[in-house]
Amino acid sequence: MAVTDEAIEKIKGMIVSGALRPGDRLPKESELAAELGLSRNSLREAVRALTLIRILDVRQGDGTYVTSLDPQLLLEALGFVVDFHRDDTALEFLAVRRILEPAATALACPRISDAELDALEAELEALGPDPSVDELVACDIRFHRGIVRASGNGVLCSLLDGLSGPAGRARVWRGLTREDAVDRTLREHRAILDALRDRDAEAARSWATAHITSHEQWLRTTL
């Protein structure tokens, strides 16, 4: 194990064991290095790495603190990682989305309010018959995010937000190359909304699956 990896594991161990809790300030660098049996350089590298993935928060002039460790905060790093995907691996991300998002849509079915459904429908209507690709993609992202948030599961919402990088790129590509992309997307969105209004969780799950599967099939054919 590399020295920096060892340092990361030791700090992680302190957090998992409860020796360091969310919001706690880390001991001074010299004290912590001695306590963990690490060089100060390897400790600094470990702190940098854990700061990047939002485990630690370095506050200039104040010290280094354990963050809230809220899952939504920690999962922000997923979007950073996802941005480095290759175009062909977008299929793998879409496959994960196809598993998770229909489940989130079904969870949202009894929870989403009529006012939230009205707001989503109003956004679809505001697009008009001939939106630009950018307008369509932005609306598509807001539409799905609004439904997933209504599921009440913050972890699921954060995971799907993290997966929106490649999904967003695929949406743009699809919009530019398929003449029926706008009509088909809006039809599928309205079918999902209708199922949610009917409080039919299985229909909502099925329409969400069909919607994402159509993206996946198109991308597979294109690649």
Side-chain angles (χ1 to χ4, degrees):
M1 180 183 292
V3 175
T4 302
D5 291 339
E6 181 185 1
I8 289 171
E9 285 301 313
K10 287 186 174 181
I11 297 173
K12 176 184 170 184
M14 293 180 73
I15 295 171
V16 171
S17 70
L20 286 172
R21 297 181 180 276
D24 281 356
R25 180 177 175 176
L26 269 64
K28 291 181 179 178
E29 184 183 88
S30 57
E31 294 173 6
L32 185 58
E35 180 182 345
L36 298 178
L38 300 167
S39 72
R40 293 175 70 169
N41 281 340
S42 62
L43 179 59
R44 284 191 201 111
E45 290 300 319
V47 168
R48 284 195 195 98
L50 292 170
T51 300
L52 284 174
I53 59 173
R54 311 299 292 275
I55 301 291
L56 299 178
D57 178 23
V58 178
R59 303 176 190 172
Q60 291 297 327
D62 188 11
T64 300
Y65 290 80
V66 180
T67 66
S68 67
L69 301 181
D70 185 284
Q72 295 182 10
L73 178 70
L74 301 184
L75 286 169
E76 286 179 7
L78 175 63
F80 181 79
V81 173
V82 164
D83 284 342
F84 289 96
H85 80 289
R86 302 185 310 274
D87 285 335
D88 58 337
T89 58
L91 279 169
E92 296 180 13
F93 290 114
L94 276 171
V96 175
R97 185 179 161 219
R98 175 168 42 81
I99 294 167
L100 296 179
E101 191 162 316
T105 303
L107 282 173
C109 198
R111 295 170 174 266
I112 194 166
S113 68
D114 288 339
E116 287 172 316
L117 289 170
D118 289 343
L120 292 174
E121 188 164 2
E123 280 211 48
L124 296 184
E125 294 298 328
L127 276 178
D130 190 27
S132 70
V133 172
D134 286 345
E135 289 170 336
L136 179 64
V137 170
C139 180
D140 192 32
I141 290 171
R142 288 193 299 271
F143 178 85
H144 291 286
R145 183 176 289 155
I147 292 172
V148 173
R149 282 180 177 166
S151 73
N153 189 314
V155 174
L156 196 52
C157 188
S158 296
L159 280 169
L160 286 164
D161 266 351
L163 292 169
S164 69
R169 287 177 62 181
R171 289 187 192 107
V172 171
W173 193 1
R174 185 171 189 259
L176 289 170
T177 58
R178 276 187 65 161
E179 291 181 2
D180 67 339
V182 174
D183 287 342
R184 183 166 185 169
T185 296
L186 295 181
R187 278 200 311 272
E188 291 169 352
H189 281 184
R190 290 193 174 98
I192 294 169
L193 277 183
D194 287 344
L196 290 171
R197 283 196 186 281
D198 291 340
R199 306 300 172 184
D200 188 335
E202 288 311 308
R205 185 197 303 270
S206 296
W207 275 112
T209 301
H211 178 56
I212 299 163
T213 299
S214 71
H215 285 217
E216 195 177 356
Q217 289 174 338
W218 166 82
L219 185 58
R220 183 176 288 109
T221 301
T222 303
L223 291 175

